[in-house]
């Protein structure tokens, strides 16, 4: 089943996000290589694909996991979680309908 992982950034977390990004992307690439990643990306803090110093307000990852417990465990080990980029993380089942 797919699960949506929604991370909400702490205020002023851009520097920590930039620092943790390579390891965060490595884990996402692994999900992609395993055919489990549906989509992933950040929420820009302003209406721009490149928000610069405004940074981001969080991220969305939708990926396949065996169960909710596994999805939560994966999210708990994300570098953005471990380094305090995220103030909170929500993990919820996701049913893809379209496309």
């Amino acid at each position: 089943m797919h699960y949506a992982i929604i991370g909400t950034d702490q205020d002023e977390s851009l520097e920590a996000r930039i620092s943790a990004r390579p390891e965060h992307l490595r884990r996402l690439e692994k999900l992609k290589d395993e055919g489990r990643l549906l989509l992933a990306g950040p929420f820009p803090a302003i209406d721009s694909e490149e928000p610069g110093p405004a940074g981001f307000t969080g991220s969305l990852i939708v990926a396949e996991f065996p169960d909710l417990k596994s999805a939560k465990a994966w999210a708990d080990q994300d570098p953005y979680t471990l380094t305090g980029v995220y103030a909170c993380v929500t993990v919820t089942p996701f049913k893809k309908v379209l496309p």
Side-chain angles (χ1 to χ4, degrees), residues 24-93:
H24 171 76
L25 291 178
R26 186 193 66 73
R27 294 180 84 235
L28 291 173
E29 285 291 336
K30 184 172 188 251
L31 286 177
K32 184 183 106 182
D33 292 346
E34 294 170 352
R36 298 170 45 204
L37 183 64
L38 187 62
L39 66 92
F43 301 121
I46 60 173
D47 189 12
S48 173
E49 286 192 27
E50 297 297 332
F56 301 91
T57 61
S59 303
L60 169 65
I61 299 163
V62 180
E64 185 178 340
F65 293 93
D67 51 39
L68 182 59
K69 182 178 177 181
S70 299
K72 286 181 177 182
W74 188 92
D76 287 346
Q77 293 304 308
D78 188 87
Y80 287 175
T81 302
L82 296 174
T83 62
V85 172
Y86 292 151
C88 68
V89 177
T90 301
V91 181
T92 186

Side-chain angles (χ1 to χ4, degrees), residues 5-35:
I5 300 169
I6 304 153
T8 303
D9 286 17
Q10 301 266 7
D11 291 338
E12 307 298 323
S13 63
L14 183 58
E15 188 174 310
R17 176 182 270 272
I18 291 168
S19 178
R21 187 170 189 261
E23 183 63 17
H24 171 76
L25 291 178
R26 186 193 66 73
R27 294 180 84 235
L28 291 173
E29 285 291 336
K30 184 172 188 251
L31 286 177
K32 184 183 106 182
D33 292 346
E34 294 170 352

